[in-house]
Amino acid sequence: MTQQSFGVIGLAVMGENLALNVERNGFPIAVYNRTREKTDAFMHERAQGRNVKAAYTLEDFVAALERPRKILIMVKAGAPVDGVINQLTPILQEGDIIMDGGNSLYEDTERRTRELEPKGFRFIGMGVSGGEEGALNGPSLMPGGTKSSYQYLEPIFSKIAAQVDDGPCVTYCGPGGAGHYVKMVHNGIEYGDMQLIAEAYDLLKSAVGLDHNQLHEIFAEWNTTDELNSFLIEITANIFPYIDPDTNLPLVDLVMDAAGQKGTGRWTVQSALELGVSIPTIIAAVNARIISSFKKERVAASKELTGPNGKYQGSTKEFINMVRDALYCSKICSYAQGMALLATASNTYNYGFNLGELARIWKGGCIIRAGFLNKIKNAFDQNPTLPNLLLAPEFKQTILDRQTAWREVLATAAKLGIPVPAFSASLDYFDSYRRDRLPQNLTQAQRDYFGAHTYERIDKPGVFHTEWTPISEASVQTSTPEKLQATQPTTPPTK
């Protein structure tokens, strides 16, 4: 009996599309779903005339595959993945390869690797980006696990991945949970990108009153530029002119302004906090989704809390251009934060990430695919130890040239009461990173004052603690700032 090259478990849309992608590229497949009805529907409809074998038990599914068996699990992350693995392992053989292609937490992938590899199984945790269309026609693939396992799969992955000018959008990310870690950070960057675009839209709509047709034209034009050409800008331009057939109104205006999330953005924030990496734009994006979900509270608050409610008084064309520049500068900061997180995780977990290569595989197939990823790839190819993307010559000059517009946009937003948390977080990140002196010297003094946490000095080495002597209330009340400055010692007194 002829056996199939590849197996897929889980026939939701992503599973179906990946299965069809694999088969279309010359690899016969076997499929299994826990409900027979779903399998039958797939075989009678989308799989008609294709080299697909359906199995209705896991035993039959495993028997239909050539060795080493290559099995892709496409079920909901978490316990369902563990459930499928626990059912599979008793009927698999040493050397068989299990792949988890869902949005699993990288720590779960690390655990599964530790559990499966000693038993003789090979395990791959693979991020898959591109949504339903990407899964069918070419996603960005981010596999991690043992390199020998990846070598068995590379011929398949290279065929089914999106194809760009410098190769397929797949690379071996690293051991253990490396692939799912990369996908997690990809999604965190995606959160930042989407929030920045939403804020640009809000500014153009609320500050200068552009309608859906004007917004379509602006975003379509932006998508033709080297700076902002991207999948997310493209679909944003496509959304604005869509008219709801029931109301004859722009559909985007009828969509509830309460955003959902599936966890990867939150995981990115949690990992950054654990590793001590600053990602304020991504944090702002996650927070923006959270506060948007309090729709009823916001509606009630809008009737009691007032603020500015005006329009931008300058040139509309100039403001549009300033928003474009602010969006690009903010986008650079968001990607800089994501790449900095990947670099730190790579060193901490020994993943061995090649940041230039990760930027390359995001050029096609995935949700954050964008023209300027070529510039990011080149920046890290030229300097693999680049500490921050903001220091790459091209990006540095871009922000230096455009920061005046960026600051003007934020000032306008503040004056008009338009929240721009991700724009603001990006500018704060830039301003904090570029300053050689931040006010945390006071923070350290406070920590030492109330908790004897000690501090370092800028003028001599060592670790210090001071018994800080408070100024008397009377002297504070009766002394002018000039007198206080004159009477304070240059070195804090100690008891």
Side-chain angles (χ1 to χ4, degrees):
M1 181 180 72
T2 303
Q3 292 180 305
Q4 307 298 87
S5 301
F6 196 88
V8 177
I9 296 176
L11 292 175
V13 175
M14 286 291 288
E16 283 190 3
N17 284 0
L18 280 168
L20 293 173
N21 187 351
V22 172
E23 190 276 339
R24 186 182 68 248
N25 279 284
F27 304 96
I29 62 168
V31 297
Y32 169 81
N33 195 77
R34 64 184 179 85
T35 58
R36 184 185 184 100
E37 294 78 13
K38 186 67 176 171
T39 306
D40 285 340
F42 178 63
M43 294 301 296
H44 294 152
E45 297 168 11
R46 303 186 72 195
Q48 275 277 17
R50 297 178 180 273
N51 195 342
V52 181
K53 285 186 180 179
Y56 296 95
T57 68
L58 281 176
E59 288 78 8
D60 288 345
F61 172 77
V62 168
L65 295 170
E66 65 184 19
R67 295 206 58 213
R69 299 177 180 93
K70 297 173 280 293
I71 299 171
L72 176 62
I73 300 173
M74 293 298 297
V75 303
K76 187 177 180 181
V81 176
D82 288 322
V84 171
I85 291 173
N86 290 338
Q87 290 177 291
L88 271 177
T89 49
I91 53 177
L92 293 180
Q93 293 171 279
E94 186 174 336
D96 287 346
I97 305 169
I98 302 171
M99 296 161 274
D100 172 16
N103 269 335
S104 289
L105 179 62
Y106 73 99
E107 292 173 331
D108 287 341
T109 304
E110 297 278 1
R111 169 180 56 79
R112 290 167 185 144
T113 301
R114 291 193 300 269
E115 292 170 352
L116 291 168
E117 296 280 344
K119 298 176 182 178
F121 303 116
R122 297 167 177 168
F123 186 68
I124 291 285
M126 181 169 67
V128 179
S129 180
E132 298 172 11
E133 187 274 336
L136 181 63
N137 296 314
S140 175
L141 300 175
M142 296 154 258
T146 53
K147 195 157 191 178
S148 60
S149 303
Y150 174 72
Q151 289 167 348
Y152 275 100
L153 301 165
E154 186 175 15
I156 299 175
F157 290 165
S158 294
K159 286 284 188 69
I160 70 170
Q163 307 294 315
V164 293
D165 57 350
D166 48 6
C169 293
V170 60
T171 192
Y172 173 69
C173 292
H180 276 137
Y181 195 94
V182 171
K183 177 57 163 55
M184 178 189 76
V185 176
H186 164 284
N187 284 23
I189 294 172
E190 178 186 311
Y191 271 56
D193 242 355
M194 293 175 71
Q195 179 62 26
L196 291 168
I197 292 170
E199 291 174 16
Y201 150 70
D202 194 12
L203 284 162
L204 296 176
K205 182 180 175 67
S206 301
V208 293
L210 300 187
D211 64 24
H212 65 288
N213 287 320
Q214 292 169 312
L215 289 165
H216 162 71
E217 291 172 4
I218 289 165
F219 277 84
E221 192 276 326
W222 286 356
N223 195 48
T224 65
T225 65
D226 289 339
E227 296 88 352
L228 293 178
N229 168 254
S230 67
F231 172 72
L232 286 171
I233 294 288
E234 176 187 348
I235 67 170
T236 301
N238 293 341
I239 285 169
F240 290 126
Y242 190 94
I243 302 299
D244 173 46
D246 296 330
T247 64
N248 207 33
L249 295 172
L251 181 57
V252 68
D253 293 340
L254 302 175
V255 175
M256 181 68 72
D257 55 320
Q261 54 180 309
K262 292 188 175 180
T264 46
R266 184 179 70 250
W267 295 344
T268 305
V269 170
Q270 290 170 338
S271 179
L273 292 173
E274 290 167 359
L275 294 176
V277 179
S278 177
I279 57 166
T281 307
I282 297 170
I283 292 174
V286 173
N287 283 336
R289 294 197 188 190
I290 292 170
I291 199 166
S292 78
S293 68
F294 293 95
K295 176 64 174 178
K296 290 183 179 179
E297 286 187 39
R298 290 189 291 110
V299 170
S302 70
K303 298 172 183 176
E304 299 186 40
L305 303 176
T306 60
N309 188 25
K311 297 291 183 183
Y312 180 70
Q313 299 302 310
S315 163
T316 296
K317 184 177 180 180
E318 288 181 6
F319 187 73
I320 292 169
N321 290 336
M322 288 192 297
V323 171
R324 178 201 61 208
D325 289 347
L327 175 57
Y328 186 44
C329 290
S330 299
K331 183 184 179 83
I332 291 170
C333 287
S334 182
Y335 279 74
Q337 294 161 33
M339 302 311 277
L341 178 56
L342 287 170
T344 300
S346 182
N347 292 332
T348 303
Y349 303 132
N350 296 315
Y351 284 152
F353 292 146
N354 180 329
L355 298 183
E357 180 68 356
L358 296 184
R360 187 195 68 78
I361 68 168
W362 291 343
K363 286 167 53 178
C366 71
I367 302 302
I368 65 170
R369 62 184 183 265
F372 95 129
L373 281 162
N374 248 331
K375 298 178 181 179
I376 296 177
K377 175 185 181 300
N378 292 338
F380 285 110
D381 285 350
Q382 292 168 15
N383 183 3
T385 60
L386 183 70
N388 192 290
L389 203 57
L390 295 178
L391 298 176
E394 180 168 340
F395 293 121
K396 177 182 71 175
Q397 196 58 48
T398 292
I399 290 183
L400 294 179
D401 290 344
R402 304 183 189 206
Q403 63 174 307
T404 299
W406 193 10
R407 296 180 192 282
E408 181 64 27
V409 166
L410 264 68
T412 300
K415 289 176 183 177
L416 299 180
I418 301 171
V420 284
F423 271 38
S424 299
S426 293
L427 181 57
D428 287 343
Y429 180 77
F430 171 72
D431 280 338
S432 295
Y433 192 72
R434 71 177 182 82
R435 287 186 63 184
D436 66 345
R437 185 82 169 157
L438 292 171
Q440 274 60 53
N441 55 315
L442 177 58
T443 303
Q444 287 299 88
Q446 291 169 331
R447 294 178 70 241
D448 188 57
Y449 190 117
F450 65 68
H453 291 293
T454 72
Y455 58 90
E456 295 177 90
R457 294 174 58 121
I458 62 173
D459 58 342
K460 55 186 176 182
V463 176
F464 300 87
H465 166 60
T466 296
E467 292 294 328
W468 301 81
T469 303
I471 302 170
S472 70
E473 187 174 335
S475 74
V476 172
Q477 291 175 343
T478 59
S479 299
T480 64
E482 292 78 9
K483 288 181 180 178
L484 281 174
Q485 186 176 8
T487 56
Q488 292 307 301
T490 55
T491 304
T494 57
K495 292 183 180 178

